[in-house]
């Protein structure tokens, strides 16, 4: 953290984040273990503990935690502008975002009114037991509405594209003719982008003269020319367990057998007992309460994965991923640095009272047509 570009406030935010994370307590426990070693001299206490932590791999874990913070928390410039300006500095884009979010909520509420169903309700105990058994057997079924023909996607990617196409900067005039723009492409937002030479430099690892996993390890190419060396290098990267190194390696593609491990290192993900318990709690929430978005997910899986020759076998696993995901409140942290806002609803009988407003769904993400595809390509 010797970079002078980091402000004291930013470094303090990093320290505060680390102190509230699991790695902080784990480091303390590891330090106590090293302190209890009889071979440790009092005169070399600090040095001995630091060496012990380094030899145990804790320095790499701490670096990965810092790396993750740097990736998810952009540097703030002084003076600090309002939060909404940090998320999206352009006023007309903020207004378009708000209009889009209102449109989605209106569509969801209209479906509830037409079908006379609530956004959420508690499952009867009989249904909870039935769902628990189906979950165990990987035969999850039984959405809020049995007749899925009544359920329609809240929106599709095409709807979102139409909104983007309609965006126009009120301060930009490319011609004297009203409504006429000279920008290339269907998106008419004049944003600063890199020129072709800058793009070539940024994506030099994807140049045609650079070998790529998934392309140059095809069946008609001898494996000893590229694949074997790539796998050998990948094993060394995985053993180093360093996020930035895994990210650099993956710029030229990930061998299929290593993809999951490499992405875990890039995203600084380590599944432990706490994560497993948290997933079990999310499953319990699914069993106890049924949401309208459950039917949206169920219908989307039927329209996408079930009809796909390659992915229909993963249908039940998709439910086990997507249904708990809809209850995962950790996803709400994404809105801290994103221009979007989580949709809100009100407790029945408390409409318009902000103190009774709740995020709906709990993770703040309303599924759209094709949403299940993200689960299939994870």
């Amino acid at each position: 953290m010797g970079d002078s570009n980091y402000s004291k406030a930013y470094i303090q935010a990093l320290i505060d984040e680390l102190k509230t994370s699991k790695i902080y307590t784990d480091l303390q426990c590891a330090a106590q273990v090293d302190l209890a070693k009889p071979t440790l001299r009092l005169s070399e206490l600090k040095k001995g503990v630091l060496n012990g932590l380094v030899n145990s791999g804790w320095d790499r874990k701490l670096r990965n935690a810092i790396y993750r913070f740097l990736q998810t928390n952009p540097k703030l410039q002084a003076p600090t502008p309002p939060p909404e300006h940090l998320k999206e500095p352009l006023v007309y884009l903020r207004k378009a975002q708000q209009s889009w979010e209102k449109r989605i909520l209106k569509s969801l509420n209209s479906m509830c009114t037409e079908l006379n169903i609530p956004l959420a309700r508690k499952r009867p105990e009989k249904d909870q037991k039935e769902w628990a058994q189906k979950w165990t057997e990987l035969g999850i079924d039984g959405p809020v509405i049995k007749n899925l023909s009544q359920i329609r996607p809240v929106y599709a990617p095409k709807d979102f594209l139409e909104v983007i196409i309609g965006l126009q900067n009120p301060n930009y005039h490319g011609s004297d003719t009203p409504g006429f723009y000279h920008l290339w492409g269907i998106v008419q937002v004049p944003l600063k982008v890199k020129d072709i030479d800058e793009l070539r430099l940024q994506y030099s690892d994807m140049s045609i003269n650079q070998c790529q996993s998934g392309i140059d390890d095809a069946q008609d190419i001898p494996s000893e020319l590229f694949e074997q060396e790539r796998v050998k290098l990948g094993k060394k990267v995985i053993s180093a367990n360093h996020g930035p190194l895994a990210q650099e390696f993956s710029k030229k593609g990930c061998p299929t057998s290593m993809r999951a491990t490499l992405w875990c290192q890039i995203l600084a993900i380590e599944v432990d007992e706490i994560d497993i318990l948290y997933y079990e709690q999310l499953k319990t929430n699914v069993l106890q309460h049924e949401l309208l978005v459950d039917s949206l997910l169920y219908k989307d899986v039927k329209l996408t994965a079930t009809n796909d020759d390659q992915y229909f076998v993963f249908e039940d696993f998709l439910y086990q991923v997507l249904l708990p995901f809809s209850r995962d409140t950790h996803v709400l942290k994404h809105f801290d640095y994103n221009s979007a806002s989580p949709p809100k609803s009100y407790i029945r009988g408390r409409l318009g009272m902000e103190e009774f407003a709740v995020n709906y769904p709990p993770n703040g993400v309303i599924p759209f047509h094709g949403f299940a595809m993200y689960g299939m390509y994870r």
Side-chain angles (χ1 to χ4, degrees), residues 88 90-100 159-172 179-181 183 185-191 339:
E88 176 50 64
L90 299 177
V91 177
Y92 76 98
L93 289 183
R94 289 205 302 270
K95 290 182 177 179
Q97 176 79 55
Q98 294 169 1
S99 176
W100 170 251
D159 301 321
F160 188 56
L161 176 61
E162 291 176 353
V163 172
I164 296 177
I165 293 174
L167 291 176
Q168 292 184 352
N169 188 342
N171 299 321
Y172 178 82
F180 183 83
Y181 289 81
L183 300 177
I186 59 176
V187 178
Q188 294 292 302
V189 179
L191 300 176
S339 61

Side-chain angles (χ1 to χ4, degrees), residues 283-302:
K283 282 172 52 179
T284 302
N285 293 340
V286 173
L287 299 177
Q288 292 180 347
H289 297 87
E290 54 186 4
L291 309 178
L292 175 61
V293 294
D294 294 346
S295 295
L296 292 174
L297 291 170
Y298 191 87
K299 179 70 173 282
D300 190 53
V301 171
K302 289 295 183 183

